[in-house]
Amino acid sequence: MSEKLTIKNVVGGGAIGTEIDLHSVSTAEFEKFDIQYEPESYAAIVLRSHEFDPTIMLFRSGKFSIAGGKSVQETNLTFQRFCDELESITGLEIEPSIEIRFFVTTGNLERPLDLSTAAVSLGLDETEYEPEQFPGLFYRPKNRDWFAILFASGSVVIDGDPDLEVLEDAYDEIDDTLKNNGI
């Protein structure tokens, strides 16, 4: 990762290749995960690792989401440990697949920002700024998979793309646009 942005969350998902009985899995004794299953309020099992940050949400269809990792390596390792334990406990033969869907990153433009002026510079049709409701400026440029939230302190959150290089380019684009407009 660059010096400009820090990964705060790796979001992924995929499938284990088979449908699963959530009730049976929810009563199993996992060694490396805590399990939460409340089918009345959420249609998935939530598994939290004892060792790592990512949380896995496993659905009956065998599809899953995974979020909370600070790196791709940590996310993949958590998923692999879950798959190993699931196979061991249930005897299921699974064919897991995982993809990284997007990253949530943070950075700092290293200067305070006038967000009202920034909204005009970035384009009023691509920004939303309502300081009475939220202290940040939402920036969703057209034809981009990423979006950003800018704060008056100069902090920025950029996410929505699975390519870190794209997010770094987004940071540079925002920084350059604001600098070129005296912000």
Side-chain angles (χ1 to χ4, degrees):
M1 193 71 213
S2 77
E3 295 174 14
K4 300 173 191 175
L5 296 174
T6 303
I7 295 174
K8 293 297 182 181
N9 189 1
V10 177
V11 179
I16 60 169
T18 187
E19 286 192 7
I20 194 152
D21 178 359
L22 294 180
H23 179 72
S24 294
V25 172
S26 73
T27 60
E29 291 293 324
F30 280 78
E31 184 178 317
K32 298 177 181 172
F33 294 88
D34 289 326
I35 299 175
Q36 180 180 350
Y37 183 50
E38 298 175 14
E40 304 82 29
S41 60
Y42 190 61
I45 293 174
V46 178
L47 298 110
R48 290 182 177 83
S49 170
H50 297 165
E51 300 174 57
F52 301 107
D53 290 330
T55 297
I56 299 170
M57 288 77 53
L58 177 64
F59 297 88
R60 181 188 55 79
S61 64
K63 293 185 178 181
F64 71 91
S65 295
I66 185 167
K70 302 296 186 253
S71 70
V72 172
Q73 179 182 0
E74 178 188 47
T75 300
N76 287 332
L77 184 57
T78 300
F79 178 65
Q80 186 57 55
R81 287 187 177 172
F82 160 71
C83 290
D84 292 346
E85 257 195 274
L86 182 66
E87 280 186 318
S88 174
I89 289 169
T90 65
L92 287 172
E93 289 187 31
I94 61 175
E95 297 177 21
S97 64
I98 184 173
E99 70 174 344
I100 301 304
R101 294 187 176 146
F102 65 92
F103 296 99
V104 177
T105 63
T106 60
N108 195 321
L109 297 170
E110 313 237 343
R111 62 189 179 280
L113 303 175
D114 178 332
L115 296 180
S116 295
T117 307
V120 174
S121 295
L122 294 169
L124 292 174
D125 58 332
E126 296 180 339
T127 59
E128 184 178 330
Y129 180 51
E130 297 182 31
E132 312 81 34
Q133 295 188 11
F134 186 76
L137 166 74
F138 291 91
Y139 177 43
R140 293 179 182 88
K142 293 177 182 148
N143 303 317
R144 301 289 203 308
D145 290 332
W146 57 267
F147 76 94
I149 306 170
L150 287 74
F151 295 92
S153 66
S155 293
V156 61
V157 176
I158 305 173
D159 68 29
D161 200 283
D163 185 337
L164 291 173
E165 212 171 291
V166 169
L167 299 179
E168 290 173 352
D169 291 346
Y171 174 95
D172 291 338
E173 180 181 319
I174 291 166
D175 192 30
D176 292 345
T177 299
L178 295 176
K179 280 180 181 173
N180 290 339
N181 286 287
I183 302 168

